[in-house]
Amino acid sequence: DGEDKDARRQAILDAAERLFVERQGLANVADVAEAAGLAKGTVYLYFQTKEELYLALHLRHVEAFFTKLIARLNSGQAFPFHELLDLVDEQLISAPIYMPLGACCIGFAPDAVPLAASQHFQTQMGTWLMTAGAGLERHFPKLAALGPGEGGRLLKHSYAIMIGLHTLHSDMHRNDPKCPVLPGMGSYQEEATLALTRYWAHVAGTPERV
C-alpha cells in the first residue's frame, strides 16, 4: 500500500545517504540496494538511475531546510539575521552532506535524471523559494522595498555563494589535502558565513556582523 511504498522509498534514501557519507560520492544502485536490504530490481522500481535517487535525497534535505525556514518565518515573531544564519549553518553550511551532494547534483548530465523527476525537483524548489522569499520580504523592510520577488532572488544568490565557495574549497584539496590554501582563505564555514553576512548586510540591510 501507499504507506509501505513510502517507507521503502525512505529506506532506500537512508541507505544512499549512509553510503554517500562513507564514500563522499555517489554509490551505484546495487550497493544502495544491498545497504537497504533490498533487491536491485526493487530499487529500480522507485528510481530509474542512481542520479535520480541522489537527486531525490537532495530534495529531501532541501525540504527539511525550507520546512524549518518557512515555519520560522510564519511564526509571527521577529526573525533577526543572526537566527537565520544559525539555521543556514545548521542545515546547509555545516551539514556533512548538504553541500557535497548539492554540488554532485549540479554536475549531473542533462539526461542522467528522468524528465519527470527533474521537473518535480524544479517545481518543488520554485514553490519553496516563492513562499520563503515572501516571508523574508515581510521580515526585512529594505528587501521588501526592492520589490516583489526579491526574497526568492536573495535566497538563490545566497545558495550560489555557498555552493561556489564549497566547490572552490573542494577543488583546492581534491588532489592533496595538505596543499596550501589561498592567501587570506579560511575554512569553508568561515568563508561562507562571512560572505553571506556581507551580502545580506548590503542587500537586506541587516545590522548584524559576525
Side-chain angles (χ1 to χ4, degrees):
D1 57 25
E3 291 185 1
D4 287 341
K5 287 183 178 179
D6 185 64
R8 182 170 292 173
R9 187 176 189 276
Q10 296 305 320
I12 294 170
L13 294 178
D14 290 341
E17 181 165 3
R18 291 195 301 272
L19 292 177
F20 187 90
V21 172
E22 291 174 4
R23 303 177 182 184
Q24 288 299 296
L26 308 185
N28 59 44
V29 172
D31 288 348
V32 173
E34 181 179 358
L38 300 170
K40 183 170 69 172
T42 302
V43 176
Y44 279 121
L45 293 175
Y46 293 83
F47 306 101
Q48 296 180 37
T49 65
K50 70 178 181 181
E51 289 84 1
E52 180 185 2
L53 194 166
Y54 277 99
L55 183 65
L57 177 60
H58 185 46
L59 183 63
R60 189 168 75 169
H61 295 153
V62 174
E63 181 178 14
F65 167 70
F66 274 109
T67 297
K68 289 189 176 183
L69 174 59
I70 292 170
R72 184 64 182 82
L73 290 168
N74 292 338
S75 67
Q77 301 176 350
F79 193 22
F81 174 70
H82 69 84
E83 290 187 17
L84 172 61
L85 189 60
D86 287 344
L87 177 62
V88 170
D89 180 66
E90 174 193 350
Q91 295 288 310
L92 278 65
I93 295 175
S94 294
I97 189 173
Y98 193 105
M99 286 298 160
L101 180 56
C104 285
C105 291
I106 290 175
F108 288 163
D111 59 349
V113 178
L115 180 60
S118 179
Q119 290 176 334
H120 175 67
F121 183 89
Q122 296 295 336
T123 299
Q124 291 292 99
M125 281 290 297
T127 300
W128 292 327
L129 280 169
M130 288 174 51
T131 303
L136 290 172
E137 291 165 22
R138 294 195 304 269
H139 282 267
F140 297 96
K142 183 180 177 181
L143 187 62
L146 297 176
E150 290 300 323
R153 177 178 291 173
L154 185 64
L155 287 171
K156 287 185 288 185
H157 290 178
S158 297
Y159 182 72
I161 290 171
M162 288 185 285
I163 199 74
L165 284 170
H166 179 271
T167 301
L168 175 63
H169 274 257
S170 298
D171 288 344
M172 287 167 52
H173 296 282
R174 182 165 291 139
N175 297 323
D176 183 2
K178 296 181 180 180
C179 69
V181 298
L182 295 175
M185 181 71 74
S187 69
Y188 169 66
Q189 288 79 7
E190 292 169 340
E191 294 300 316
T193 298
L194 179 60
L196 288 176
T197 302
R198 288 174 171 174
Y199 177 56
W200 278 68
H202 174 71
V203 177
T206 56
E208 295 90 346
R209 297 290 186 273
V210 176

